[in-house]
Amino acid sequence: MKSSAISISRRLFSVAAIALAAGFSVSAHAEQVLRVTTIPEEAATEQIRKFEPLAAYLSKAVGMKVEFTPVSDYPAAVEALVNKKVDLVWFGGFTHVQANLRSNGKVIPIAQRVEDTKFQSVFIAKTDSGIKTLQDMKGKQISFGSQSSTSGHLMPRSFLLEAGLEPEKAFKRVAYSGAHDATIASVVSGKVDAAALDITVWKKFVNENKVDTKAVDVFYTTPPYFNYNWTVHQDMPADLRKKIQKALFDLDPAVPEHAEILKLNRATRYIDTKPENYKGLESAARSAGLL
């Protein structure tokens, strides 16, 4: 993309973000604009880089203008969909559960990645820390991601509780970084001794040589669980919902343009999903005292 186009795009995102924060629709013609946001699992600049190509693809596929609006935190993504300030949201499993409860069951998950059927979290620490097991974390300083994160908080906490480790009692300090990239940085910098995060973000950092695994590495990987999905409000017209679903399902790794979009979204393919897939996460959240 040319520098002028990038500048225009960034101004659009900035204006849209201000409009959303103020509680207004980002368009006076909402029926002609598909408004999209995502939980801020990484920095806003990275969100834009990841989703701008998908937005362009969806615009062609559904025949509508697509506006991507970054939000400040996970709860803001939930509120944006519940209050119909946006039309389509990339949720983690836990934020989907929260949106479903906040809306009294008026949100619909329409697609997930193949990876989301057996998702995992990882715990990382400095390799010279002496931390090799979950029990070795006792008395240490640890970090989760956002409090509303599935892979960065809910499920790591759930598995810690199963191991007999109640974070607020077992650890010296519990911090919340707010995002997975910040979680990695907190361990690298020594702010905390260990941390939990999304396995796909960790693998991305390793593959892009953004972290030295000789210095910081995984010491525990959780069992699998359901995670992320694209969710819409039930008030979205059924034909539009089906168009969006079809567009996501049609993304083909054999097509170069599609392959790039899938890679940016850390996806093999998008597949169908259903509300029942997230009941286990709701139960885990209730057991962990997060609902």
Side-chain angles (χ1 to χ4, degrees):
M1 180 184 293
K2 294 181 179 179
S3 60
S4 61
I6 293 174
S7 177
I8 292 170
S9 178
R10 286 177 178 167
R11 286 200 298 273
L12 171 62
F13 295 143
S14 178
V15 170
I18 291 170
L20 181 61
F24 298 103
S25 169
V26 297
S27 171
H29 304 286
E31 71 279 1
Q32 298 175 8
V33 178
L34 183 67
R35 302 160 300 171
V36 183
T37 196
T38 137
I39 55 171
E41 54 182 347
E42 296 180 81
T45 52
E46 180 64 7
Q47 293 178 62
I48 292 169
R49 186 183 76 87
K50 283 167 47 181
F51 288 100
E52 193 172 40
L54 178 60
Y57 166 78
L58 285 175
S59 181
K60 293 178 183 177
V62 302
M64 297 172 65
K65 181 179 178 181
V66 174
E67 291 181 349
F68 174 66
T69 306
V71 292
S72 59
D73 54 33
Y74 284 52
V78 171
E79 293 304 314
L81 185 63
V82 171
N83 294 314
K84 295 190 282 188
K85 302 301 182 184
V86 295
D87 307 298
L88 175 66
V89 182
W90 178 244
F91 278 141
F94 187 27
T95 37
H96 169 78
V97 167
Q98 291 173 320
N100 188 56
L101 294 175
R102 280 279 294 111
S103 68
N104 294 315
K106 294 180 180 179
V107 299
I108 303 171
I110 63 170
Q112 64 182 19
R113 301 169 301 186
V114 169
E115 288 77 2
D116 294 311
T117 62
K118 294 183 178 180
F119 208 85
Q120 293 174 294
S121 299
V122 292
F123 283 79
I124 61 172
K126 287 191 174 181
T127 53
D128 62 0
S129 67
I131 299 175
K132 303 299 179 185
T133 69
L134 294 180
Q135 297 298 327
D136 292 336
M137 296 167 64
K138 287 182 179 178
K140 304 291 187 181
Q141 300 186 78
I142 70 126
S143 180
F144 295 115
S146 165
Q147 289 181 305
S148 294
S149 173
T150 309
S151 55
H153 180 219
L154 167 59
M155 296 313 292
R157 177 180 285 272
S158 181
F159 292 120
L160 285 168
L161 290 172
E162 285 184 12
L165 297 169
E166 186 176 338
E168 284 70 27
K169 294 181 180 180
F171 307 133
K172 181 178 180 181
R173 180 171 72 95
V174 176
Y176 294 92
S177 72
H180 299 296
D181 48 2
T183 298
I184 295 173
S186 70
V187 177
V188 172
S189 67
K191 288 184 179 179
V192 295
D193 301 300
L197 71 147
D198 175 326
I199 191 172
T200 66
V201 175
W202 172 255
K203 287 181 176 179
K204 186 187 79 167
F205 268 62
V206 171
N207 292 337
E208 295 178 357
N209 296 314
K210 291 182 177 179
V211 62
D212 180 4
T213 54
K214 292 182 180 179
V216 175
D217 206 357
V218 173
F219 67 88
Y220 179 78
T221 301
T222 70
Y225 52 87
F226 279 99
N227 202 0
Y228 299 86
N229 66 57
W230 284 105
T231 295
V232 300
H233 198 281
Q234 72 171 20
D235 289 349
M236 173 182 281
D239 60 338
L240 176 57
R241 184 173 76 237
K242 290 176 182 177
K243 282 183 180 179
I244 297 169
Q245 272 187 309
K246 184 178 186 304
L248 292 170
F249 298 162
D250 283 350
L251 284 167
D252 185 348
V255 177
E257 177 192 352
H258 294 186
E260 181 61 21
I261 292 171
L262 290 168
K263 179 181 178 182
L264 286 169
N265 287 264
R266 304 192 301 275
T268 301
R269 288 203 80 131
Y270 281 105
I271 60 174
D272 198 8
T273 190
K274 55 187 178 181
E276 290 74 18
N277 290 344
Y278 306 97
K279 291 298 183 182
L281 294 179
E282 181 178 344
S283 295
R286 293 190 186 282
S287 296
L290 300 179
L291 285 178

